[in-house]
Amino acid sequence: MKKIVFLTGAGMSVESGFKTFRGNDGLWENYPVEEVASHEGWERNPTLVTAFYNGLRRKLYDAQPNEGHRLIAGLESRYEVTVVTQNVDNLHEKAGSTNVIHLHGELTKVCSSLDPYNPRYIQELTPDNAEVAVGAQAGDGSLLRPFIVFFGESVPMIEPAIKATSQADIFVVVGTSLNVYPAAGLIHYAPKGIPLYLIDPADVAQGDSAGVEHIRLGASAGMQELLRRL
């Protein structure tokens, strides 16, 4: 079975009404990114950051996958599919994708602020238990923080993403400007000569690269077009 790897960004979830990354204005849901998505912001005001992600989590539980998410999940009947996503939502999983690598963390989880990647202290939240109380602690006694890769922090899941990309038979980018590293560099790990597709209605710098087929549509219409080409 051929291996197809998707790299998805904010444009993947926009049709679901869920904004999962900053726009060009440097704001995330009307908050300055440095206040709610940086380690310095967390250290300065953990109460604000906790409240922000509580609110974002409620929005996520109400959001539904769009046709683009569902079409990616449906390809598992024909391909070995890996989704590498820059998004912190769980819409790929909701749509049925079974192999998702989250580069920037997961909104539905919280972790230790001292040792974020220690699995002993990572907790999965549910729609009926979505609120993190101010001052709530992880098992090691530190404050519970969102399981999100803040700006300036390392991206531990980039290594599995590179490994998957380097073994791909087809590589598809959906809804990302390819400006945020290290994710933007993944396309360079795709084996030479394999089909490369970019689904995005906007101009993307790497979209003009040799060998990249740029499908200038949104996520759902773009995925429908991709299926025709596959």
Side-chain angles (χ1 to χ4, degrees):
M1 191 177 280
K2 283 191 171 183
K3 296 179 180 178
I4 184 167
V5 175
F6 287 89
L7 170 63
T8 68
M12 186 79 236
S13 296
V14 71
E15 292 171 36
S16 297
F18 196 76
K19 182 179 178 183
T20 60
F21 204 63
R22 64 174 173 175
N24 294 329
D25 52 9
L27 297 175
W28 191 4
E29 298 291 350
N30 300 315
Y31 282 82
V33 165
E34 61 271 13
E35 281 189 16
V36 295
S38 73
H39 186 74
E40 292 75 20
W42 166 256
E43 291 282 327
R44 191 164 48 242
N45 195 343
T47 300
L48 169 70
V49 175
T50 297
F52 172 77
Y53 287 96
N54 281 343
L56 203 58
R57 205 174 291 118
R58 285 193 295 271
K59 281 188 177 183
L60 175 57
Y61 288 130
D62 290 336
Q64 295 301 318
N66 59 56
E67 182 69 4
H69 291 109
R70 289 189 288 269
L71 290 174
I72 288 175
L75 282 170
E76 292 191 10
S77 64
R78 295 163 46 195
Y79 296 91
E80 186 178 322
V81 179
T82 300
V83 178
V84 178
T85 187
Q86 296 171 266
N87 297 338
V88 297
D89 62 54
N90 63 350
L91 296 174
H92 282 296
E93 288 92 340
K94 275 188 179 180
S97 288
T98 59
N99 186 18
V100 183
I101 297 171
H102 284 271
L103 289 179
H104 295 155
E106 298 175 67
L107 181 56
T108 58
K109 295 179 180 179
V110 288
C111 61
S112 158
S113 51
L114 281 180
D115 194 4
Y117 289 92
N118 189 327
R120 289 172 60 194
Y121 307 127
I122 296 173
Q123 301 176 29
E124 176 91 36
L125 302 177
T126 60
D128 57 358
N129 183 31
E131 297 277 323
V132 177
V134 172
Q137 295 182 348
D140 61 358
S142 70
L143 285 178
L144 275 177
R145 61 162 261 188
F147 188 58
I148 301 290
V149 177
F150 289 144
F151 281 89
E153 294 182 333
S154 62
V155 182
M157 295 307 292
I158 194 66
E159 292 301 328
I162 288 171
K163 182 178 179 182
T165 301
S166 68
Q167 297 172 350
D169 297 300
I170 303 166
F171 187 74
V172 186
V173 178
V174 186
T176 172
S177 62
L178 294 175
N179 284 330
V180 178
Y181 284 84
L186 280 176
I187 196 168
H188 301 301
Y189 290 93
K192 283 186 171 56
I194 70 166
L196 302 172
Y197 297 94
L198 168 66
I199 298 172
D200 199 292
D203 289 331
V204 176
Q206 295 190 51
D208 298 324
S209 303
V212 177
E213 287 193 51
H214 190 171
I215 299 172
R216 294 176 181 271
L217 295 167
S220 294
M223 278 302 303
Q224 290 167 359
E225 176 60 26
L226 177 70
L227 293 186
R228 284 192 282 272
R229 299 190 189 190
L230 292 177

